[in-house]
Amino acid sequence: MDLPPRISTLVGQRLELAEAAWQNNRSASTTPWLFPGSNPARPLSLQSMHIQLRKADLTGLAGRNTARLALATDVPASILAEVTGTSVHNATRWATLAKRDWTEYIATRRDDAGAR
């Protein structure tokens, strides 16, 4: 799997640590976790994962915003709002940022629905 360089390095380090921890305590788990928790048989908690990512100066905001902007170019604001769990107003702002106007599409859909 292709990963951005910084994330690839971190995942590689975690893989080495997880493999070593698993070798030391095979009875705790049948397979090694890439992100083991304090109990090797359980994965790292989501909160701990967020803390470790922040320490490495990796946040999901830039990627999430990029994905939302790309999606805003492909779907109307109402669908963007539903898919991303945000308000229609917020999704409309994203669509505006993406310079995508769905007015013509909505009018066409209305005409198609009326013709049936």
Side-chain angles (χ1 to χ4, degrees):
M1 173 185 334
D2 289 335
L3 295 172
R6 288 178 54 207
I7 295 175
S8 179
T9 301
L10 286 173
V11 168
Q13 291 169 353
R14 290 301 304 194
L15 187 57
E16 290 173 14
L17 291 171
E19 185 67 31
W22 185 66
Q23 292 295 336
N24 292 334
N25 194 2
R26 286 181 187 228
S27 62
S29 177
T30 57
T31 57
W33 287 97
L34 180 57
F35 297 100
S38 54
N39 174 352
R42 306 278 302 152
L44 191 64
S45 71
L46 185 58
Q47 184 178 7
S48 296
M49 176 72 76
H50 282 288
I51 291 169
Q52 288 189 18
L53 289 172
R54 270 190 254 126
K55 283 181 184 177
D57 198 30
L58 292 169
T59 61
L61 185 60
R64 185 173 59 234
N65 287 347
T66 300
R68 189 172 286 163
L69 189 59
L71 189 58
T73 64
D74 293 334
V75 299
S78 58
I79 295 172
L80 178 65
E82 185 175 331
V83 169
T84 61
T86 188
S87 68
V88 174
H89 176 73
N90 189 25
T92 302
R93 290 193 339 236
W94 278 102
T96 302
L97 282 172
K99 304 285 189 238
R100 187 66 184 246
D101 183 9
W102 286 97
T103 310
E104 186 177 317
Y105 169 80
I106 293 169
T108 303
R109 295 286 296 169
R110 236 183 242 143
D111 291 344
D112 288 347
R116 290 183 195 168

